[in-house]
Amino acid sequence: MAVRAMNSCVIFRSAATPPLAVSRRCCCLRQLTASSRHRNRSNTHSFLRCAPYPLSHVTVRSYSVHNLVEMVMEELASIHKRGRVRATSKLELVSTGELLEDKLKKGTLQKGLLLEFKKDSERLLLAVALKPDGKKNWMVSDQNGITTSIKPQQVTFIVPGAENFEPTEISEFVQKAHDNLDPALLEFAWNELLEKNKSVTVQELAEMIFGSAEPLETYCAHLLLSRDEVYFAVLESKGLSVYGPRTANQVDELLRRKLAKEASEKEFEELMQFLRSAKQMPPQDKPPRSSWKAEEKTWHKIESLEAFAIDSCKNDDQKKTAGMILKAMGQAKTSSAAVNLLIDIGYFPVHVNLELLKLNLPTDHRDEILSAAESLLSTSTDLDEADRIDLTPLKVYAIDVDEADELDDALSATRLQDGRIKIWIHIADPTRLVQPGSIIDKDARRRGTSIFLPTATYPMFPERLAMEGMSLQQGKLCNAVSVSVVLRSDGSIAEYSVENSIIKPTYMLTYESATELLHLNLEEEIELKILSEAAALRLRWRREQGAIDTATIETRIKVTNPDHPEPSIKLYVENQADAAMRLVSEMMILCGEVIATFGSHNNIPLPYRGQPQSNIDASAFAHLPEGPVRSAAIVRTMRAAEMDFRNPIRHGVLGLPGYVQFTSPIRRYMDLAAHYQVKAFLSGDPLPLSAGELEGIASSVNMTTRVVRRLSSSSLRYWILEYLRRQPKGKRYRALVLRFIKDRIAAILLTEIGIQASSWVSIGVQIGDEVDVQVEEAHPRDDILSLKEVEAV
């Protein structure tokens, strides 16, 4: 046995025992400090490799620690001379015959050579070369016993001296190599090589730390170097890699980064364990959404996963983080998988509105907006008080859906002595509080419209300002802009006026209760009957002007407690041709015509709306049944509405020479803009907006409005599908055939639900016929509704 001792640094080597067989029963004691790395290399370092034999049988020679590298290099030089290893200026490795690159290029790989190759982006495997496969490739048998063909560029290392290797020996070879990997050996070598400013090949390092350059030792050295991210840098790589020690400062910095990385990986794994735990919790025990934001590091990862789920990653880092989480949780790297994971851990509710999150529409009001709103409620005065006419003696009906939070409009009517009908359309007056260009106005303009969803309402104005300061309220004095109209007997406008007013709403009615009152025909509610009569006159007159009736079935849904896995769903199906709905609709259209006429007469720039397709021939659809079938056919031929800001344009579908939306200033910003213009004219003040400014505002607001309309439509459809999903399997629904899409596949309207879908219908069924259908599948998240026709009972 040959033994070397350097100060307290001792290396034992047995000639009778394979070096690594000895090292497996060795101990390694090290005393390394940061200061010793920086300078004092004479400080004590312990590096013991202990043989399985008693030390009494060992002959010991002592050396200075500073002579260690010279000693190793001298021995390597003697080995070179014996032909085992030769390092020339071209860094040629001759112990295995040729360079790795030369072996691959010249096709001289031999059967039995042991090599390492890149299986994929994450795995390196050992294999034995079997035979050539074509001109360049080789068939190999890897450590898992799998035979495969590899390309030359996949080979990362050929183990020197490992010739005539048997595939069955690979597993044991790999196990021995991994049993003897000790990063401390690499740190020892780095210390000594840095002191002498020396570089090494893999074989030289094996000789230095293991005392041998045999195949196993060389492969161990290769593994240590290939996995090292701290101590050594590759100086040259062309078949034979040469490694040089990094500076002490570089090592300190890399170690710092390594520790930080390990801490980050530990933190990441702890989060993954928490996610797995949260997935298993019952819904009521899952962590609340706010808890995920408590720690910045956790929130960064959850925020990245959320961004990935809604396709709104701000950078590659968020995508990478989300991908790591999904991979660690055994999920596919898809947005749907991210959504499901966030639902499983309780961060998203089961029925999360993804479209709302994706669009990033404002839902809450900023603190500064809420503060400004409170200030308006407490300090504002009515500048139009002196000009308001007192209409409090009138009976005033406000008719809207039962869950309406803000009421923009109300109606009054009387019959004049000459028999003509006089109508008042009272519109809430938010401009008494909000001025153009104010902080509240700018925020409302940015929002463009209130958002009405089955699960919530997100108002254009702060809720308290809208409800208490602007909305019409039953039994209370309310400021309004009142449009009065006297109708001729044919339904056309004989007289009109637009004035600031004060009213006192008498009734707050739902459409259902208003319809019921109309049917009861109560003498004490004669005003409501007059309004219904006026609506009938107006509809007949508009049809004579070319108006097209597009009334159809409309669905509303109210969801209570939407964050619950099984929230309560109330579905309302309304026929737009219903008496009360028709009454309100006709009065709102009448108001729009009056404001357009008023604006045109007084040269007021307003958002005039028109429908260019005024030459639709209604008779072309006369063969279709009146109602939803005919309306659906007509709507499919219509083009988008147009706008002008200087003069009225004909609205062909409504049958009007001009039209301005004016009746929802609390809910729609362009209605509010029209109020600004009209109110300024009534007060004799300069108009706040030019035609060009109105056009610019409308461009932005209309874009937002279209987005909100799509959101409302998709949200409504989601909850209709969820409603259908919950219904008893086999339940029958009546459906109206609207048109045929292809062959016997028809577009149908479920009249009890108010949703359009498609279904195969039997031969003989025609457009306008009713059929019975059943729901086969309803998947709200995937927007899937599958129906099948069934025989009528």
Side-chain angles (χ1 to χ4, degrees), residues 158-175:
I158 295 178
V159 180
E163 300 176 359
N164 298 319
F165 214 87
E166 292 295 331
T168 56
E169 299 173 349
I170 302 178
S171 294
E172 183 182 359
F173 185 88
V174 170
Q175 186 61 50

Side-chain angles (χ1 to χ4, degrees), residues 118-221:
K118 195 169 188 178
K119 178 69 174 179
D120 50 43
S121 60
E122 298 181 354
R123 291 185 297 169
L124 292 171
L125 299 178
L126 271 184
V128 172
L130 298 178
K131 62 180 179 179
D133 182 30
K135 292 183 178 180
K136 296 183 178 180
N137 297 354
W138 267 78
M139 296 297 296
V140 299
S141 178
D142 66 30
Q143 63 195 62
N144 298 318
I146 297 174
T147 300
T148 186
S149 177
I150 64 171
K151 299 177 180 179
Q153 54 265 38
Q154 288 179 257
V155 179
T156 55
F157 187 68
I158 295 178
V159 180
E163 300 176 359
N164 298 319
F165 214 87
E166 292 295 331
T168 56
E169 299 173 349
I170 302 178
S171 294
E172 183 182 359
F173 185 88
V174 170
Q175 186 61 50
K176 287 181 179 179
H178 285 280
D179 287 346
N180 287 282
L181 292 182
D182 183 0
L185 302 176
L186 207 59
E187 185 177 1
F188 158 75
W190 169 77
N191 268 285
E192 305 309 329
L193 291 170
L194 179 65
E195 184 73 16
K196 296 300 180 180
N197 193 25
K198 298 285 187 179
S199 59
V200 289
T201 64
V202 173
Q203 287 178 291
E204 290 169 343
L205 181 67
E207 182 70 32
M208 180 178 179
I209 62 178
F210 296 121
S212 170
E214 295 300 318
L216 182 58
E217 286 79 358
T218 302
Y219 182 60
C220 286

Side-chain angles (χ1 to χ4, degrees), residues 30 37 64 532 591 594 606 647 750 769:
R30 298 181 297 133
R37 282 202 301 268
S64 167
S532 181
C591 181
V594 170
L606 290 170
N647 300 293
L750 275 63
D769 289 349

Side-chain angles (χ1 to χ4, degrees), residues 38 67 96 119 141 217 251 307 314 340 397 537 554 606 613 661 675 692 711 733 735:
H38 280 293
N67 293 331
T96 56
K119 178 69 174 179
S141 178
E217 286 79 358
V251 168
K314 299 175 183 177
N340 291 334
Y397 298 89
L537 287 174
E554 190 174 70
L606 290 170
Q613 203 162 343
Q661 287 186 334
H675 273 245
L711 170 65
Y733 301 91

Side-chain angles (χ1 to χ4, degrees), residues 578-590:
D578 172 82
M581 296 196 79
R582 182 77 80 180
L583 185 158
V584 173
S585 175
E586 286 299 329
M587 295 304 102
M588 299 304 105
I589 293 172
L590 174 60

Side-chain angles (χ1 to χ4, degrees), residues 469-572:
M470 300 176 176
S471 179
L472 302 179
Q473 301 177 57
Q474 183 177 9
K476 294 185 178 181
L477 296 178
C478 302
N479 293 325
V481 177
S482 292
V483 174
S484 66
V485 185
V486 176
L487 296 179
R488 296 188 180 95
S489 59
D490 65 352
S492 62
I493 298 172
E495 304 171 17
Y496 71 84
S497 68
V498 182
E499 298 170 291
N500 292 309
S501 66
I502 184 167
I503 63 172
K504 189 176 183 180
T506 312
Y507 295 114
M508 295 293 186
L509 302 175
T510 64
Y511 287 110
E512 292 81 3
S513 59
T515 297
E516 185 177 349
L517 281 175
L518 286 170
H519 288 158
L520 290 173
N521 197 22
L522 300 175
E523 188 63 31
E524 56 267 32
E525 301 302 334
I526 188 64
E527 293 86 353
L528 190 62
K529 184 178 179 181
I530 293 173
L531 282 169
S532 181
E533 183 183 338
L537 287 174
R538 285 292 300 170
L539 177 59
R540 186 174 64 199
W541 179 83
R542 290 194 306 107
R543 284 177 172 173
E544 290 172 354
Q545 310 309 308
I548 298 171
D549 189 7
T550 57
T552 186
I553 291 174
E554 190 174 70
T555 303
R556 287 187 299 109
I557 279 185
K558 183 70 175 178
V559 179
T560 305
N561 195 16
D563 287 347
H564 192 274
E566 292 288 328
S568 172
I569 303 175
K570 290 184 178 179
L571 182 140
Y572 307 86

Side-chain angles (χ1 to χ4, degrees), residues 362-377 434 437-447 459-466 470:
T363 52
D364 298 324
H365 289 86
R366 304 190 307 274
D367 289 343
E368 59 180 333
I369 303 299
L370 295 175
S371 177
E374 291 299 317
S375 178
L376 286 176
L377 286 170
V434 180
S438 66
I439 186 173
I440 297 288
D441 170 72
K442 289 179 179 178
D443 187 67
R445 183 188 301 183
R446 180 173 66 93
R447 294 169 183 270
M460 185 172 73
F461 289 111
E463 185 174 2
R464 210 166 84 82
L465 179 64
M470 300 176 176

